[in-house]
């Protein structure tokens, strides 16, 4: 897959494939050798060591492992009782196919309903140990007023969030919305994660608490935001879009529509911090140069442009050395000669005759109003709008709300386009169905090659929803239980579902493979699957428990990057629990159903007669071969 989602999928898939390849090599090469070396027969285990050293070592180990042997003995007796009860229950359910299939359909319907209740997102918001904030004052505000507003923002975090905030670095005159004396931003460094163990000390919780106090700063717009999980996809978490002037209505009309759209979005309870990420239109001082008069006065266009740009802006002149360092020299007018429109009368330009010509002789001034920067997106005029979902709302729900408001508020000729992390979220949502389909197809084809049948793999594939329902329920539980990470239907959740698909199929294969082998040997269908379920119960439970305990650190981790690990861990644990608990009862039912109604089912008594006939034919061929003096290879 392409895009940033493809990068995440590839990292996951390469890791899993590499581990599985190594696992196969270990199973084929090392495991048989280890079994032959370490495993002993019952006679070897009971026989006393031949040497005194061996007898002393055996006595020492027996004393050490005596408590463990007692525990394992109790465990084995309890497991044997559970295995017998499980076998009796399986013998009942395989004769109640209609009831079990109805229960399976109910589970699938519940899965579909619950899956639609999980909010969508792209990636979870990570606590990266730093927050950012921006201050945007009205056009024309002074630098001093901007600094005072920025100081109020800093005071809030240093006083109200003293136990969470370490330091703050503020910058005046620049922000991600643009440059100007009314712009400022601050970098808020949080304390180490070990000093912020509680959920209310997470970066998102700090941002949510700061929303209303910062909204109370009347001098301008001040807000804090968390960084996106992937910095290259934007400057802030939440959603990011462009309002586009597709009909070419012009800058003024686009500005009016943006104000109406932002105001309508700010009234929604699902959204917060909705803002126009850019500078508002500002008064502009326009110089009207009469070039014909200037040329008549002996002035060149280059001299005029050079003088004005150096005086009102700045001009690079030269370098100079100071303490072995090269520094640049810039030329600019004194502050009192570039403060207002009348200061233009103070400036003269030397003409070709060496005379000084006043600028007022050929320049007239006027005031205008316009945007300090013009943006375009997808080839048309556009304005950037950013925002964040309200607490407890996912980015997917916030994006759907912005689309709903756009359909109601935007007039004809205007539209919205997602960009940055929001665009990637939309892309990942459209890729997910194909991702699941390809994964299930690969599993099905692998099983078809394993069983040399197109129907038997369905007995394994039918168990997949039983694993997914556990992952989905685990995600829903986090929506209502106070936990560190709330699960969303994002990329990490999709990775967890793919893992659950493979693990669910693994549990089913353990039963189906053994049941098919017993059935091919002449056992009755129900007897074969009951015996297979009993024999393979322990491997299923032990491997599932091992995997659940293996991913438990992911579900319980904290600190940097914990949100992604929590999502995968919780998702896989929920999926494994349901896949184990439900699969050990439903897989025997699926096998009987598929073998009886979707394959060429042969009853046991008929299979016995066919085996007797085949055996008689083999004996007849061998007898004829003996009479003719021929030799036949041995047969099974």
């Amino acid at each position: 897959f392409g895009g940033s989602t493809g990068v995440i999928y590839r990292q996951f898939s390469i890791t899993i494939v590499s581990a599985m390849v190594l696992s196969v090599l270990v199973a084929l090469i090392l495991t048989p050798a280890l079994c032959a070396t370490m495993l002993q027969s019952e006679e070897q285990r009971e026989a006393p060591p031949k040497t005194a050293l061996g007898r002393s070592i055996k006595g020492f180990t027996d004393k050490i492992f005596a408590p463990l042997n007692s525990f394992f003995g109790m465990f084995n007796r309890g497991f044997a009782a559970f295995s017998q009860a499980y076998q009796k229950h399986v013998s009942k359910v395989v004769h109640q196919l209609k009831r079990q299939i109805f229960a399976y359909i109910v589970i699938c319907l519940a899965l579909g309903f619950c899956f639609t209740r999980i909010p969508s997102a792209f990636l979870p918001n990570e606590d990266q140990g730093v927050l950012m904030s921006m201050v945007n004052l009205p056009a024309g505000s002074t630098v001093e007023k901007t600094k005072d507003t920025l100081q109020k923002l800093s005071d809030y975090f240093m006083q109200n969030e003293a136990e969470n905030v370490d330091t703050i670095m503020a910058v005046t005159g620049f922000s991600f919305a643009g440059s100007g004396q009314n712009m400022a931003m601050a970098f808020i460094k949080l304390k180490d994660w070990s000093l912020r163990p509680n959920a209310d000390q997470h970066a998102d919780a700090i941002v949510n608490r700061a929303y209303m106090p910062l909204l109370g700063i009347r001098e301008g717009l001040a807000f804090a935001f968390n960084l996106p999980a992937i910095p290259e996809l934007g400057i802030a978490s939440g959603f990011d879009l462009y309002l586009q002037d597709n009909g070419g209505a012009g800058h003024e009309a686009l500005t009016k529509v943006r104000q109406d759209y932002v105001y309508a979005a700010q009234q929604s309870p699902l959204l917060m911090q909705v803002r126009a990420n850019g500078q508002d239109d500002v008064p502009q001082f326009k110089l009207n140069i009469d070039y014909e008069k200037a040329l008549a006065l002996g002035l060149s266009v280059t001299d005029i442009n050079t003088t004005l740009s150096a005086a009102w802006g700045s001009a690079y002149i030269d370098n100079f050395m100071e303490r072995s360092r090269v520094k640049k020299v810039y030329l600019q007018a004194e502050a009192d000669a570039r403060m207002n429109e009348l200061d233009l009368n103070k400036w003269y330009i030397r003409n070709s005759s060496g005379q000084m010509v006043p600028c007022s002789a050929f320049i007239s001034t006027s005031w205008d109003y316009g945007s300090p920067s013009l943006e375009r997106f997808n080839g048309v005029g556009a304005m950037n709008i950013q925002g964040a979902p309200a607490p407890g709302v996912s980015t997917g729900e916030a994006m759907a709300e912005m689309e709903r408001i756009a359909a109601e508020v935007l007039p004809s000729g205007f539209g919205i386009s997602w960009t940055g992390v929001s665009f990637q979220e939309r892309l990942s949502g459209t890729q997910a169905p194909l991702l699941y389909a390809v994964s299930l197809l690969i599993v099905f084809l692998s099983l078809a090659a394993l069983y040399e049948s197109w129907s038997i793999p369905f007995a394994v594939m039918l168990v997949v929803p039983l694993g997914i329902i556990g992952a989905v329920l685990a995600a829903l539980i986090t929506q209502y239980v106070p936990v560190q990470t709330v699960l969303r239907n994002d990329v990490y959740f999709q990775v967890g579902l793919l893992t659950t698909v493979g693990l669910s199929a693994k549990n089913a294969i353990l039963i189906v493979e053994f049941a098919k082998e017993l059935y091919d040997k002449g056992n009755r269908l129900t007897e074969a699957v009951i015996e297979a379920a009993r024999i393979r119960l322990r491997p299923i439970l032990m491997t599932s428990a091992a995997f659940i305990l293996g991913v438990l650190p992911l579900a319980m981790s904290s600190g940097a990057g914990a949100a992604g690990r929590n999502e995968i861990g919780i998702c896989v644990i929920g999926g494994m629990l349901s896949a184990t608990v439900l699969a050990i009862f439903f897989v025997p039912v699926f096998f009987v159903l598929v073998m009886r109604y979707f394959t060429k089912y042969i009853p046991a008594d008929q299979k016995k007669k066919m085996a007797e006939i085949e055996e008689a034919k083999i004996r007849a061929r061998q007898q004829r071969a003996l009479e003719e003096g021929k030799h036949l290879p041995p047969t099974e």
Side-chain angles (χ1 to χ4, degrees):
F1 286 89
S4 58
T5 54
V7 175
I8 298 175
Y9 291 145
R10 281 194 294 275
Q11 292 181 0
F12 166 76
S13 59
I14 291 174
T15 303
I16 295 297
V17 169
S18 303
M20 291 307 299
V21 170
L22 180 61
S23 175
V24 170
L25 295 177
V26 170
L28 295 178
I29 301 173
L30 299 181
T31 301
L34 291 174
C35 290
T37 303
M38 300 175 63
L39 297 184
Q40 297 178 339
S41 64
E42 187 174 354
E43 293 79 5
Q44 290 175 325
R45 289 195 300 269
E46 294 179 353
K50 298 180 179 180
T51 62
L53 179 61
R55 287 191 293 271
S56 60
I57 293 176
K58 185 176 185 304
F60 178 72
T61 55
D62 288 344
K63 291 181 181 180
I64 293 179
F65 293 107
L68 289 178
N69 293 333
S70 176
F71 168 77
F72 287 128
M74 294 175 57
F75 175 82
N76 289 332
R77 289 190 293 271
F79 186 85
F82 172 76
S83 179
Q84 292 178 358
Y86 167 69
Q87 185 178 9
K88 292 180 181 179
H89 185 77
V90 171
S91 63
K92 293 180 181 179
V93 298
V94 294
H95 294 93
Q96 300 172 347
L97 295 182
K98 293 183 179 180
R99 183 180 301 177
Q100 302 304 319
I101 294 303
F102 176 77
Y104 178 75
I105 294 175
V106 171
I107 292 176
C108 292
L109 294 177
L111 170 61
F113 173 78
C114 295
F115 194 85
T116 58
R117 307 298 296 177
I118 302 177
S120 62
F122 176 58
L123 289 175
N125 288 337
E126 297 284 2
D127 187 341
Q128 304 181 52
V130 64
L131 299 176
M132 299 189 70
S133 62
M134 290 174 55
V135 173
N136 188 358
L137 272 66
S141 300
T142 62
V143 175
E144 289 74 15
K145 195 171 183 179
T146 304
K147 289 182 177 180
D148 292 341
T149 306
L150 192 59
Q151 186 62 44
K152 292 181 180 180
L153 182 143
S154 301
D155 292 342
Y156 165 79
F157 282 103
M158 295 306 297
Q159 295 173 8
N160 298 80
E161 299 290 347
E163 61 178 0
N164 301 320
V165 175
D166 187 11
T167 57
I168 297 179
M169 185 185 74
V171 178
T172 305
F174 169 80
S175 74
F176 293 135
S179 300
Q181 60 190 19
N182 62 326
M183 297 291 179
M185 64 186 305
F187 301 87
I188 305 169
K189 181 183 178 182
L190 304 179
K191 292 184 178 180
D192 191 79
W193 294 274
S194 60
L195 303 177
R196 300 184 288 113
N198 301 326
D200 61 349
Q201 295 178 301
H202 191 272
D204 285 335
I206 298 174
V207 169
N208 294 336
R209 286 196 299 270
Y211 177 62
M212 292 305 297
L214 297 183
L215 197 63
I217 299 178
R218 301 300 182 184
E219 289 79 2
L221 177 63
F223 54 90
F225 54 89
N226 194 5
L227 297 178
I230 301 179
E232 290 78 5
L233 295 180
I235 59 176
S237 58
F239 56 84
D240 193 354
L241 63 91
Y242 271 95
L243 175 63
Q244 297 184 156
D245 179 15
N246 299 320
H251 175 73
E252 293 183 1
L254 180 61
T255 303
K256 174 68 168 55
V257 172
R258 183 191 67 175
Q259 292 174 350
D260 297 339
Y261 185 40
V262 171
Y263 177 78
Q266 289 173 345
Q267 310 308 310
S268 174
L270 302 180
L271 307 173
M272 61 182 290
Q273 295 183 359
V274 182
R275 61 198 181 272
N277 187 41
Q279 294 176 282
D280 295 329
D281 290 352
V282 297
Q284 296 177 343
F285 186 55
K286 187 176 182 180
L287 301 180
N288 302 306
I289 303 176
D290 190 340
Y291 287 102
E292 293 182 358
K293 184 180 292 187
L295 292 175
L297 294 172
L299 299 174
S300 66
V301 176
T302 302
D303 292 338
I304 296 172
N305 292 336
T306 301
T307 301
L308 293 178
S309 62
W312 297 79
S314 61
Y316 167 73
I317 300 300
D318 201 355
N319 296 334
F320 74 98
M321 299 292 295
E322 181 183 10
R323 298 177 183 177
S324 302
R325 297 184 63 183
V326 179
K327 295 187 177 182
K328 295 183 178 181
V329 179
Y330 285 91
L331 176 66
Q332 190 179 39
E334 292 287 349
D336 58 358
R338 52 182 173 87
M339 293 299 293
N340 55 63
E341 55 185 307
L342 297 179
D343 290 337
L344 184 65
N345 299 327
K346 301 178 180 179
W347 288 94
Y348 293 79
I349 302 177
R350 191 181 301 277
N351 62 8
S352 57
S353 302
Q355 299 175 345
M356 303 299 293
V357 179
C359 290
S360 58
F362 58 91
I363 298 179
S364 61
T365 61
S366 61
W367 284 96
D368 199 356
Y369 200 77
S371 174
S373 63
L374 295 178
E375 298 180 84
R376 300 182 70 83
F377 189 75
N378 291 334
V380 297
M383 291 184 175
N384 187 226
I385 297 176
Q386 294 182 351
V393 180
S394 69
T395 54
E397 293 173 319
M399 292 169 64
E401 180 69 4
M402 291 296 293
E403 291 175 343
R404 183 192 66 80
I405 298 174
E408 296 178 355
V409 175
L410 298 186
S412 177
F414 294 88
I416 63 173
S417 292
W418 300 107
T419 185
V421 67
S422 298
F423 176 77
Q424 294 297 327
E425 180 172 343
R426 277 287 183 266
L427 183 63
S428 66
T430 58
Q431 288 180 339
L434 180 60
L435 180 70
Y436 298 144
V438 171
S439 301
L440 292 174
L441 177 62
I442 294 299
V443 174
F444 177 81
L445 294 178
S446 301
L447 294 174
L450 171 64
Y451 298 118
E452 297 181 352
S453 170
W454 292 108
S455 55
I456 296 179
F458 283 104
V460 176
M461 298 300 296
L462 288 173
V463 80
V464 170
L466 302 180
I468 295 179
I469 185 66
V472 171
L473 289 177
L476 286 179
I477 290 174
T478 61
Q479 311 292 326
Y480 307 101
V481 177
V483 293
Q484 179 176 340
T485 301
V486 178
L487 269 64
R488 313 288 191 188
N489 185 10
D490 54 22
V491 176
Y492 289 142
F493 184 75
Q494 294 166 11
V495 168
L497 289 185
L498 294 178
T499 308
T500 303
V501 169
L503 296 173
S504 302
K506 181 268 302 179
N507 284 344
I509 290 173
L510 291 177
I511 296 178
V512 171
E513 177 72 14
F514 210 78
K516 184 176 182 297
E517 181 179 348
L518 294 177
Y519 175 70
D520 291 339
K521 290 182 178 180
N523 290 274
R524 297 175 62 90
L525 181 59
T526 55
E527 293 177 353
V529 74
I530 293 172
E531 181 65 14
R534 183 191 66 83
I535 295 176
R536 308 310 291 169
L537 176 62
R538 191 183 188 108
I540 290 176
L541 296 181
M542 293 300 103
T543 54
S544 299
F547 200 90
I548 290 174
L549 295 176
V551 299
L552 189 60
L554 292 178
M556 300 177 61
S557 66
S558 60
R565 297 194 296 269
N566 292 159
E567 282 210 6
I568 295 179
I570 295 174
C571 176
V572 172
I573 288 177
M576 282 303 300
L577 288 174
S578 65
T580 303
V581 174
L582 297 177
I584 59 177
F585 298 104
F586 277 95
V587 170
V589 175
F590 297 153
F591 182 76
V592 173
L593 178 68
V594 171
M595 293 297 294
R596 183 169 293 175
Y597 298 106
F598 298 96
T599 61
K600 189 177 180 181
Y601 173 66
I602 303 175
D605 53 353
Q606 185 176 350
K607 286 184 64 176
K608 186 176 181 180
K609 292 180 180 180
M610 293 174 60
E612 292 176 353
I613 294 173
E614 186 66 25
E615 186 178 355
K617 291 180 179 179
I618 293 175
R619 286 198 301 267
R621 287 199 301 269
Q622 290 177 343
Q623 183 64 30
R624 288 196 301 270
L626 290 175
E627 293 175 355
E628 297 175 1
K630 297 180 179 180
H631 175 71
L632 291 179
T635 59
E636 282 190 342

